[in-house]
Amino acid sequence: MSRSSSRVWQRTRSLLPARDDLAAMLHQPRRDLIAGLTVAIVALPLALGFGISSGLGAAAGLTTAVIAGALAAAFGGSNLQVSGPTGAMTVVLVPIMHTHGAAGVLTVGLMAGLILIGLAIAKAGRYMAFVPAPVVEGFTLGIAAVIGLQQIPTALGVHPPDGDQVAVVAARSVAAFATHPQWAAAATAALVAVAILAGGRLRPAVPFSILAVVVATVATELAGLDIARIGSLPSGLAAPSLSFIDVSALSSLAGAALAVAALAALESLLSAAVADGMGVSHRHDPDRELFGQGIANLVAPMFGGVPATGAIARTAVNVRSGASSRLAALIHAAVLAALIYTAAPLVERIPVAALAGVLLATAIRMVEVGSVLAMARATRSDAIVLALTAIATLALDLVKAVILGLIVAGALALRAVARSATLRQMPLHPDLPGDHTTEERALLDQHIVAYRIDGPLLFAAHRFLLELSEVATVSVVILRMSAVSAIDASGALVLKDAIQKLQRRGMTVLISGIRPGHNRPLAALDVITQLHAAGHVFPNTPDAIHAARAHLHSNGILHHTTAEPDIAAPSSNS
């Protein structure tokens, strides 16, 4: 085995479950049992609804909740995470389903699983910590809007119109409903959504989603309403198969697989971070979490399941229900598997409009209004990033929206850092070498000015050029650069331009305190080459002031009045 192969194997072994995971599951099994049952009750209507929304059907949603939920719990990096089909993933899967069909969705899920495993081995999980909060908030707000709009056709009982934009499809659905209203479906969806939202406010611990669905199912059965149902479900999990793979289509699905993998990584790690914040002394391993999600997405398509991610809503319920280990998520998957084998005929009678009501309520509850308003009020940049990410999520797709949000947030942050640099005139007196009379100090102040540059000298440094250009006519300008924290090519060129403008006005420019790491860009762009040659670059400010005083002596501006010996004067052509 080669050295690189050995490193990959060792890295993979470090991502596998350890004895500590098993020990944790045996610590408080009763609490995990209760939490697992609670999450399963909440997850059932969501799994059914998201399966239907993806286009692969309710059975695919249940299969994903069982297979992906169990594998992600066993191999993932969070003890509290619950995984399964999610609304965000559904948003990405719908266009893939329209273009490539069910086989394409399953293939994309399998390819995304391989990509996630590769990211885990490459230790990419740590970089999720750099996603800014406004991007996450805007992403969540956009997802909520997309999920809500996706439910409009089903909630109104109309056949989904053609179209790729969810807002356009929702508008066409409303128009179709106005022409031929389906009041039974609309009333069912509305009542279920209202029951979940109102009940959740009054009694947060009660699983109103499953209660509302049960009541809606019983009511529609007793009333004999003509309303669409889930329909036939298999009485067990399908046998694993790879027959859906079309090798010739792999290249055309690569982009979609990257998008699914990126979304799975983003949503899963965000959800795990939320669980950390809600739990006590719990921290997830981001690379193990990516590995677990990779295994889950690699295997789930073999059973007919859709791509999965960590589910923030179900994870939150799991933590609030007292889960202490990954046993709770495993029990949640086992309970859903039992329902598939024992209660499929009952689940088949659930109205799809009731599930649309569940998802509408889920979309509304995803939006923390207070958090969004606080983020929007924080700074103008945060408000821009939040709004742009949310709009892009609605208008484009989730991965592009996050990338756009990251780019804009990075650009605004860099702009803020660059603009934080300052140029301040500094007094000469504390740094004057030797003894000077009051008259001589006043004369020095008239002919020498010192400026200190604080902070990063980056692309926004054009402000320095404007400030330096307004310097009153003096004989010598000293630029103190010991407080410059960073410098790039743009900043160096601006500095060069400022120096040349001062020199053209007949002023001598001296530079002091250049940090060792900053010499390279300044020298490469010929900013200090001529100054070095003329002896106008100094290690510290007192030396620069001493040279400036000598320059004034040599030009007859300042008469030598101290006992200190003169030094060689710098060139007067600088």
Side-chain angles (χ1 to χ4, degrees), residues 404-465:
L404 182 61
L406 288 174
I407 292 173
V408 174
L412 291 174
L414 187 57
R415 176 175 176 268
V417 169
R419 292 173 67 87
S420 68
T422 58
L423 182 73
R424 292 191 288 177
Q425 184 174 347
M426 305 301 295
L428 294 173
H429 300 161
D431 295 321
L432 284 175
D435 298 322
H436 301 271
T437 65
T438 303
E439 293 79 8
E440 188 176 21
R441 288 180 182 274
L443 193 59
L444 287 169
D445 287 339
Q446 292 174 14
H447 293 278
I448 304 174
V449 63
Y451 283 94
R452 189 178 76 187
I453 302 174
D454 293 313
L457 195 58
L458 303 177
F459 66 93
H462 60 275
R463 294 183 301 117
F464 295 121
L465 177 60

Side-chain angles (χ1 to χ4, degrees), residues 25-47:
M25 288 193 289
L26 299 177
H27 185 55
Q28 292 180 309
R30 184 174 178 276
R31 289 181 59 182
D32 288 330
L33 174 62
I34 295 173
L37 288 170
T38 304
V39 176
I41 292 172
V42 173
L44 176 61
L46 294 175

